[in-house]
Amino acid sequence: MQDYYHGDIPVYDDTTLAGQTPPPGAALGMVPRDYSEYPESMFAPPSQMVLVPKTDWDARYDEQETTQSSLEHLFLRGGQPAFVNLDQNGDGDCWAYSVGHAMMLDDLKANPTAPVNRLNPHFIATYLKRFNGGWCGVSADVAYRVGCLEEGGGTEEWPLHSHATGLLTPARLAAAARHKINEEWRDLTREVYNQALTTLQVATCGFNNIPVPSDFNFWGHSVCQVRWVRIEAGSWGPLILNSWKGWGRYGLAVLRGSQAVANGAVAVLSTTA
């Protein structure tokens, strides 16, 4: 029987997701990072992060619930999502969509009552000419250096689900700079960190409303972590936003289990909306 968080958001155990065939029209696409192409030294560790110890998790979570101040609450304002979750449409671009979702959530955090600019992460995959999978770190690097385009058919937008490299015009590349990652913590899960510290880092981001694009090797998928939540007393996990149409509750679900800890992650601290 399916468990639920907050009554309607499904909780998925990692053993049920591993090897699971994506629903019709959906796709995976995350591949482990190529350290020969992107070595560890390219990315700076989050040395400035002040970790929230596990002994404080209940109090921090309860405070968010009382004040209705988490990213989850901002996203589900009035019981409806602030924006429809992005849909990768069967292409293996999840590693770019996890970053796109994080940028949109940061836009929402900065302007909670304004419409959220709808980004098109297909632009990032096309800019890299990377159509056979990737990981969130490489897409975050593009979002940091180049930016991302809004979805649309205009000369300064990117058409829905397009991989047409011929559309990478100077006007579009210039327009992408309107939506960039300004500040981030890279490599939350570098190999020099143990799993316990990784969990503390991700939880800390959740309690501070910092969206975290995250790669899960067991799943072969990349999603955006929205919040660190208490499923039940003593049981915690990430609330994620997926880029599959019709999945979860408005794209939201909670991961639970020993493998529900990201193998690669980027904390998006601020963006240009």
Side-chain angles (χ1 to χ4, degrees):
M1 183 171 64
Q2 179 70 65
D3 289 330
Y4 290 89
Y5 164 75
H6 276 175
D8 54 11
I9 298 175
V11 177
Y12 290 105
D13 188 272
D14 55 16
T15 58
T16 65
L17 285 176
Q20 182 187 76
T21 301
L28 302 172
M30 193 284 296
V31 298
R33 174 169 158 189
D34 183 350
Y35 283 87
S36 65
E37 184 180 3
Y38 292 88
E40 285 191 7
S41 59
M42 291 187 64
F43 303 121
S47 57
Q48 297 178 349
M49 181 183 293
V50 178
L51 299 174
V52 177
K54 193 171 183 178
T55 52
D56 292 349
W57 287 3
D58 281 305
R60 293 292 292 269
Y61 178 83
D62 289 340
E63 180 183 7
Q64 286 184 325
E65 288 293 288
T66 299
T67 59
Q68 300 281 286
S69 58
S70 73
L71 278 181
E72 174 194 350
H73 294 107
L74 292 178
F75 180 71
L76 293 176
R77 55 189 181 192
Q80 295 294 319
F83 57 85
V84 176
N85 64 306
L86 298 173
D87 172 26
Q88 64 191 80
N89 193 43
D91 293 322
D93 298 342
C94 59
W95 50 279
Y97 274 73
S98 61
V99 170
H101 270 148
M103 296 175 72
M104 291 174 67
L105 286 168
D106 187 75
D107 184 6
L108 173 65
K109 180 174 66 175
N111 304 283
T113 61
V116 175
N117 292 306
R118 190 166 183 82
L119 302 181
N120 188 346
H122 263 66
F123 163 79
I124 292 177
T126 306
Y127 177 84
L128 288 169
K129 299 180 176 63
R130 196 177 191 103
F131 309 124
N132 295 312
W135 56 96
C136 65
V138 70
S139 57
D141 184 58
V142 173
Y144 181 80
R145 293 185 296 103
V146 180
C148 189
L149 283 172
E150 291 184 43
E151 178 185 297
T155 58
E156 296 183 348
E157 299 172 321
W158 196 256
L160 183 65
H161 304 137
S162 174
H163 279 156
T165 57
L167 297 176
L168 293 168
T169 62
R172 287 192 172 93
L173 293 175
R178 298 171 189 162
H179 305 287
K180 296 180 71 174
I181 293 177
N182 294 327
E183 186 180 6
E184 62 192 356
W185 280 321
R186 295 290 191 90
D187 276 3
L188 296 194
T189 53
R190 288 179 67 181
E191 293 179 349
V192 294
Y193 298 130
N194 62 31
Q195 191 176 71
L197 183 54
T198 298
T199 302
L200 286 178
Q201 289 172 322
V202 171
T204 296
C205 289
F207 292 128
N208 287 291
N209 285 353
I210 299 171
V212 181
S214 303
D215 301 334
F216 293 90
N217 289 352
F218 83 89
W219 197 4
H221 197 38
S222 186
V223 295
C224 182
Q225 298 195 47
V226 178
R227 187 186 182 195
W228 191 250
V229 302
R230 185 174 61 212
I231 304 168
E232 57 192 12
S235 178
W236 298 83
L239 174 69
I240 63 167
L241 183 60
N242 199 354
S243 51
W244 291 348
K245 183 178 181 179
W247 187 86
R249 175 70 169 170
Y250 304 125
L252 295 172
V254 175
L255 301 184
R256 174 173 57 191
S258 60
Q259 296 185 95
V261 176
N263 300 100
V266 176
V268 176
L269 301 180
S270 67
T271 62
T272 301

